[in-house]
Every structure is written in C-alpha cells, then in structure tokens.
C-alpha cells in the first residue's frame, strides 16, 4: 500500500474500551456499512443504527437523549438554531389552507415567519392574546392545525395560564407546541403541567428550545431542539428532518454536551441575580413597571406561581431575564443613552450566557393586539449573566444618572 492510501486506510484501531467524563465526539457525513446488505436494511428512522451523518451519530443521539430527558419528553431532534426548530415544526406539520395561532408576545421571528414564508405557502395565521384564554378559544377554528405557546412571553415577560391554554387545545383536538426556551426544562415540566393531580397528565404536544441560550451558556453556539412524547409526531418530524436536511455539526454538539451538566447551576444562579436586580429596579422611580413573572404584580405572576412554585422548589424557578418600562416622559434618545451608558451590560441580542446584555425595544412595532397589562413607556430588556450582582447593580445605578 502506498503511503497516501495508507494514511486513509490505516489498519490500526485503538482499543474499544475507553471511558471519560465526556462522551466521544463523532464527526461524519459518511457512515461506513460493513456490506451492501447492511446498507439496504439499516433502519433510518430510529436510534438503533447509523446511516448518514445527517440522520444521527453517537454524538447527536447522546445530546438528543439528554435533552429529551431534561424536558420530560421521549424523542428529540436537533436543528441549527432555535428559530430553525420553530420553522421545522411549522413546515413539518402545516399545509396550505391550515392556520397556525401564535401568541402576540411570541419571539418575534416566529411571527415574522408566519407573515413571510408561511403566508407565501398559503398557510394562514392569527395572533392571539396569551393572557386571555377566551381570545384563543374565539380564534380556534376548523382550519387551526397548530397553536404556539410561550411562557413567559418574549420581552414583556407575561406568564400565561399555560394549563388553561393547553387544556383548550386538547379539548379542540389541536396540536400545541411550546417555545420552552425560558423554562429550559427546569422551571416546569411542559409535558406534565399538573403533576400529582391524579387526572390524565396534561402536557403540550411538543416543545422547541433555543439551545443557543441556557443549554449553551457560552454565547457561542447556535442550536435548537424539538422534543415530544408522541411517537407518531416524532416520526413525522423526523421524516421532515431527513427531507429538509437541517442537521447540526459535531463541534457544536460537543459544546452543548460540555455545558449541559452545569445548566441547573447556571439557571439557578442567574435566576437569583435577576430577581435581586429586578427587585432593586422596582425601587427606581424612572422605571414605572418591572416585568419579571416571579415579581408580585408582574403580568401573570399568579400563573407563574401556580406552575413553577412546587414543594421541591418553594421559591420557584425563573429565567434570569426581565424588562423594565421606563417612564413615558423619557424620550427614545434618553433611553438609548441609558443603554449606551451601561458598561457591564453589553448591547446585544440573546441571553443565557456569561455576559449581561441589554436591548431597548419599541414594543408597539412587534405587537398587533392591545397590551392593557403594560404601563406606557419604553421597554428595556435586561439579560443577567454571571457577573457579580453588586457590580451589575452599580452599573445600572450609574447609567440611571443619564436619565436623571
Ligand atoms: C433566542 C430565542 C429563539 C431563537 O433561537 P436562535 O437559536 O437564536 O434562533 C426562539 N425562542 C426564544 C424564546 C428565544 O429567546
């Protein structure tokens, strides 16, 4: 054998027995079959074997199984981003003539996708008021095929009566999918929303999770997951996954596998810090409202309490993210100057990483329905990282001088 061939077909195989805290990282587009018969007969759909990198490797299967457990599901698929997971669900489950219902406070690109590509494909949509189950009930109709849910909502952080919304979908026989990024599988179990109540468990049909946020925890990976407990639904989603080709790279999966064990610790630490800062913000006269579901008086606080405060978690759990409504007498340039004056809080999207982030929002630009639960004023979202809480509080205090 020539050297060049030998470099590719070298016969040395390391001993199979190897164990370390981290699982091995397998990279492959091509998967090698021992013979043609194996190629013809191997199962493509489940995790019993390997066929092609896009369809799964030991590395992606491992992350999928861990995420399914985290969220209380049984099947998981990985996609290249949280938004790709939303798009994947829409494309796999909807067809022309169907309608999808989306909460008005959903992650905005979910709404933009409905207004763009879905509309172009003849898939209709309506935005509903997540804080009013009667509004969802009134909009459900014979075309409705999928209802998206989000708890808490994006930016304005309202916590809906998830149990009531899911029960409504079940009663009407409509699939419901939860964007579970905020809860991260820790704050509540989306697949068992009424634990220990004796009735048949009430849960969503599927979740999507922007792994980009907490599971990554580093601000350096884009990835999403789709989790379900429903075998038939899992198969539909998997078949679409094979046709759409939205797989993920092993290097990114490696980063996720590395940071997943510290997820509960990071979530808890960021929750504690965010609550302390949110509490402090309630005492600043420039802020007319602090939007954090664990704060009494914040929209949907009682719903958060009912779902997230349990005997095991007497303080409840919440993501380390909240918004403040700045008094309407402050102009957009003044609020922008407040954000610019922050030094530890960096200006940027995303959350769940080590660095605190700030984004000012023009809520009226992304909301179609009335928001009587929100005070008038400009909204600033704060995502709390892993810095010292006192340092972050000082940063907010010095930037507030810009407004005073
Ligand atoms: C960030 C985010 C997404 C999208 O995740 P990407 O990986 O950035 O595409 C979806 N939903 C929510 C609630 C998010 O915060």
């Amino acid at each position: 054998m020539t050297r060049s061939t030998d470099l590719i077909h070298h016969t040395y195989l390391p001993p199979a027995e190897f164990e370390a805290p981290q699982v091995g990282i397998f990279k492959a587009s091509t998967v090698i079959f021992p013979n043609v018969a194996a190629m013809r007969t191997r199962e493509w759909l489940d995790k019993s074997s390997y066929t092609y990198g896009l369809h799964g490797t030991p590395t992606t299967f491992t992350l999928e199984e861990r995420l399914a457990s985290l969220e209380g599901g049984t099947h998981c698929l990985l996609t290249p981003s949280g938004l790709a997971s939303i798009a994947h669900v829409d494309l796999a489950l909807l067809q022309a003539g169907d309608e999808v219902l989306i909460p008005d406070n959903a992650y905005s690109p979910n709404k933009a996708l409905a207004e763009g590509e879905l509309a172009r494909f003849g898939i209709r949509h309506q935005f509903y008021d997540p804080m009013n189950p009667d509004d969802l009930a009134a909009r459900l109709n014979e075309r409705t095929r999928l209802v998206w849910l989000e708890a808490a909502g994006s930016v304005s952080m309202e916590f809906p009566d998830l149990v009531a919304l899911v029960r409504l979908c079940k009663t009407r026989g409509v699939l419901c999918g939860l964007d579970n990024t905020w809860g991260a599988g820790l704050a509540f179990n989306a697949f068992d929303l009424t634990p220990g109540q004796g009735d048949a468990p009430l849960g969503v049909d599927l979740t999507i999770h922007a792994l980009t946020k907490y599971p990554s925890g580093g601000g350096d990976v884009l990835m999403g997951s789709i989790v379900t407990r429903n075998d038939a639904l899992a198969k539909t989603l998997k078949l679409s996954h094979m046709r759409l080709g939205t797989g993920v790279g092993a290097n990114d999966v490696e980063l996720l596998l590395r940071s997943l064990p510290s997820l509960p610790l990071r979530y808890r630490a960021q929750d504690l810090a965010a609550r302390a800062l949110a509490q402090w913000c309630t005492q600043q006269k420039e802020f007319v409202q602090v939007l954090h579901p664990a704060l009494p008086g914040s929209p949907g606080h009682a719903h958060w309490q009912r779902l997230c405060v349990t005997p095991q978690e007497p303080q409840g759990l919440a993501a380390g993210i909240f918004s403040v409504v700045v008094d309407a007498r402050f102009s957009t340039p003044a609020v922008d100057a407040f954000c610019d004056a922050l030094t530890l809080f960096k200006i940027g999207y995303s959350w769940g990483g080590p660095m605190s982030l700030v984004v000012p929002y023009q809520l009226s630009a992304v909301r179609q329905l009335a928001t009587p639960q929100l005070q008038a004023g400009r909204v600033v979202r704060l995502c709390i990282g892993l810095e010292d809480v006192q340092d972050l509080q000082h940063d907010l205090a010095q930037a507030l001088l810009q407004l005073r």
Side-chain angles (χ1 to χ4, degrees):
M1 214 180 280
T2 61
R3 277 191 194 165
S4 60
T5 302
D6 197 38
L7 285 175
I8 300 166
H9 292 270
H10 201 287
T11 54
Y12 173 77
L13 280 176
E17 189 79 6
F18 180 81
E19 211 177 326
Q22 284 303 325
V23 297
I25 305 304
F26 293 86
K27 300 181 183 181
S29 47
T30 300
V31 168
I32 295 169
F33 300 91
N35 51 51
V36 174
M39 182 179 236
R40 296 227 166 96
T41 55
R42 260 192 209 171
E43 178 53 66
W44 291 54
L45 269 174
D46 64 22
K47 290 186 164 67
S48 61
S49 61
Y50 306 100
T51 50
Y52 186 62
L54 180 64
H55 308 149
T57 64
T59 310
T60 56
F61 285 174
T62 301
L63 181 58
E64 287 174 353
E65 289 299 305
R66 291 181 183 190
L67 291 168
S69 302
L70 169 69
E71 296 200 39
T74 50
H75 304 274
C76 175
L77 275 176
L78 301 173
T79 71
S81 72
L83 182 55
S85 286
I86 293 171
H88 187 90
V89 170
D90 284 344
L91 294 181
L93 303 182
L94 301 173
Q95 62 185 37
D98 286 347
E99 189 172 271
V100 55
L101 298 183
I102 302 171
D104 198 37
N105 61 358
Y107 178 67
S108 307
N110 185 343
K111 297 170 75 176
L113 174 63
E115 292 171 321
E117 277 67 16
L118 296 192
R120 191 150 55 74
F121 299 157
I123 297 161
R124 297 147 63 118
H125 65 272
Q126 290 189 61
F127 303 133
Y128 69 90
D129 178 358
M131 300 311 280
N132 180 4
D134 291 342
D135 185 60
L136 176 62
R139 293 178 194 274
L140 282 164
N141 62 75
E142 69 282 354
R143 292 170 183 277
T144 316
R145 172 88 176 114
L146 173 68
V147 173
W148 280 110
L149 305 156
E150 208 172 311
S154 278
V155 185
S156 47
M157 312 303 304
E158 300 99 337
F159 206 96
D161 186 348
L162 205 53
V163 172
L165 297 178
V166 172
R167 195 162 272 142
L168 199 50
C169 294
K170 297 281 159 184
T171 309
R172 300 289 197 89
V174 174
L175 289 173
C176 57
L178 172 77
D179 185 329
N180 205 17
T181 305
W182 183 93
L186 297 170
F188 59 89
N189 183 344
F191 294 96
D192 189 3
L193 293 166
T194 53
Q197 291 192 8
D199 323 329
L202 181 75
V204 301
D205 295 298
L206 64 91
T207 60
I208 74 96
H209 192 165
L211 307 177
T212 306
K213 309 293 167 53
Y214 272 107
S216 149
D220 54 358
V221 184
L222 284 156
M223 204 182 292
S225 61
I226 306 165
V227 167
T228 182
R229 269 189 191 180
N230 178 321
D231 295 343
L233 197 53
K235 187 170 175 188
T236 300
L237 291 163
K238 176 79 175 174
L239 283 168
S240 282
H241 196 259
M242 291 171 166
R243 291 188 292 255
L244 291 169
T246 43
V248 299
N251 290 90
D252 286 343
V253 176
E254 175 182 20
L255 291 174
L256 261 298
L257 285 169
R258 182 130 193 231
S259 47
L260 215 49
S262 63
L263 168 67
L265 296 175
R266 289 183 283 108
Y267 193 92
R268 207 171 282 275
Q270 286 171 316
D271 179 12
L272 278 177
R275 283 200 225 189
L277 291 165
Q279 188 63 46
W280 180 84
C281 285
T282 62
Q283 289 147 25
Q284 310 309 311
K285 61 184 188 315
E286 291 82 358
F287 302 146
V288 291
Q289 197 175 18
V290 180
L291 302 165
H292 185 310
L295 277 191
S298 193
H301 170 67
H303 302 315
W304 170 81
Q305 216 168 20
R306 223 170 297 139
L307 199 61
C308 302
V309 176
T310 62
Q312 296 75 39
E313 292 292 346
Q315 303 305 312
L317 279 174
I321 180 169
F322 65 97
S323 294
V324 292
V325 183
V326 184
D327 194 314
R329 74 192 148 94
F330 294 106
S331 65
T332 297
V335 174
D336 290 355
F338 162 75
C339 297
D340 285 339
L342 291 162
T343 60
L344 295 178
F345 285 87
K346 299 297 179 190
I347 299 162
Y349 296 108
S350 200
W351 43 292
M355 190 178 278
S356 292
L357 299 169
V358 61
V359 180
Y361 282 92
Q362 198 66 55
L363 258 201
S364 55
V366 292
R367 288 298 187 83
Q368 274 70 30
L369 307 178
T371 52
Q373 69 276 16
L374 302 180
Q375 301 284 321
R378 288 160 187 84
V379 174
V380 174
R381 188 183 75 174
L382 298 165
C383 310
I384 309 307
L386 290 166
E387 302 95 335
D388 181 83
V389 182
Q390 282 303 317
D391 292 341
L392 293 175
Q393 185 181 309
H394 289 145
D395 195 24
L396 290 169
Q398 65 80 20
L400 265 177
L401 294 176
Q402 289 290 325
L403 283 171
R404 282 177 189 158

